[in-house]
Amino acid sequence: MKPDYWDRAVRQLSQRDPVLHGLINAYPQYHLRRRSNAFTALARAIVGQQISVKAADAVWRRFVTAADPGQAEVDFPEVAPTLVVALTPDALRSAGLSQRKAEYMHDLARRFADGALNPAEWKTLDDEALIEALVAVKGIGRWTAEMFLMFHELRADVFPIADLGLQKSIRLHYAGDDVLSLEEMRALAESWRPYRSVATWYLWRSLDPLPVEY
């Protein structure tokens, strides 16, 4: 489902910024949308750290099979945190997770299972407060938290400035590939508020037309 702010955001960004106007017109059929529940999205992010997309998909399938065999053949499987808590470290490693990622996964699952991370409460948190709650989990850094806010929580004004793809696209479109400092990029993005997530998403499309879903 399209975020309720999306059409309003593309109108305003198109009016304010000629570059975004062109990118928005180039990709009219796409928009942000979520694909899974909160725990599954974060668990999959941990699985995918520092390995290829193909390898991450294979490990994810083995992980799902270990946690909930009934979900193994589902196109977009979702895993319950209580089932992950019940898995032994050996079972997680047998699924292809490293020792460290197995620890991360157990920490994440425990926090969901005991309510320390409760998605029902997140609507009351602003972006920075939710990022702070997420980075308290082992294995989740700021970039992963920002991706989660954008792609799962559908927050409208996230600006993941540390993302190398975003930096590359900003330089390409606004500086002729010249160097821009992070401060200059942040200043440029001020005109995109309160829809920096949308601007970022279209800038990514200029590098990779096929959108990612979480």
Side-chain angles (χ1 to χ4, degrees):
M1 180 181 296
K2 184 189 297 185
D4 57 9
Y5 58 77
W6 196 265
D7 290 340
R8 181 169 62 254
V10 297
R11 284 195 302 270
Q12 292 189 19
L13 291 170
S14 291
Q15 291 167 359
R16 296 175 189 172
D17 190 303
V19 169
L20 291 175
H21 177 79
L23 293 177
I24 287 166
N25 286 340
Y27 304 101
Q29 71 272 42
Y30 296 131
H31 54 79
L32 272 172
R33 61 182 180 182
R34 70 166 61 94
R35 193 174 73 178
S36 60
N37 63 31
F39 173 73
T40 299
L42 290 167
R44 184 149 193 166
I46 288 173
V47 166
Q49 289 174 354
Q50 298 181 329
I51 59 177
S52 70
V53 173
K54 183 177 180 180
D57 286 343
V59 173
W60 177 250
R61 284 292 174 180
R62 294 201 298 271
F63 167 74
V64 170
T65 301
D68 188 355
Q71 287 282 309
E73 300 304 319
V74 176
D75 285 342
F76 303 116
E78 296 188 344
V79 181
T82 51
L83 296 177
V84 178
V85 170
L87 290 175
T88 65
D90 284 344
L92 288 171
R93 288 195 296 272
S94 295
L97 295 177
S98 65
Q99 175 68 33
R100 181 168 295 179
K101 285 186 180 180
E103 294 172 1
Y104 294 166
M105 196 68 75
H106 263 149
D107 185 47
L108 177 69
R110 281 194 299 269
R111 288 172 187 265
F112 270 86
D114 66 16
L117 284 176
N118 182 359
E121 299 174 350
W122 291 350
K123 289 185 178 180
T124 66
L125 301 179
D126 64 22
D127 292 349
E128 285 302 319
L130 181 51
I131 288 170
E132 183 178 349
L134 292 171
V135 299
V137 180
K138 293 178 181 178
I140 295 181
R142 185 177 180 88
W143 182 87
T144 299
E146 288 173 334
M147 294 302 102
F148 180 78
L149 262 66
M150 287 183 64
F151 287 93
H152 187 272
E153 293 300 293
L154 304 179
R155 297 290 179 104
D157 197 37
V158 180
F159 186 56
I161 187 58
D163 184 84
L164 297 180
L166 176 58
Q167 293 178 19
K168 179 179 179 180
S169 186
I170 290 174
R171 289 196 303 270
L172 175 67
H173 292 291
Y174 294 92
D177 244 358
D178 289 342
V179 174
L180 287 176
S181 68
L182 296 184
E183 290 74 18
E184 288 171 320
M185 293 183 190
R186 289 191 183 96
L188 176 67
E190 283 300 304
S191 65
W192 304 337
R193 288 182 182 271
Y195 301 119
R196 290 179 297 172
S197 296
V198 181
T200 296
W201 191 89
Y202 279 106
L203 287 164
W204 279 331
R205 297 288 67 72
S206 71
L207 302 179
D208 184 0
L210 295 179
V212 175
E213 296 175 3
Y214 286 70

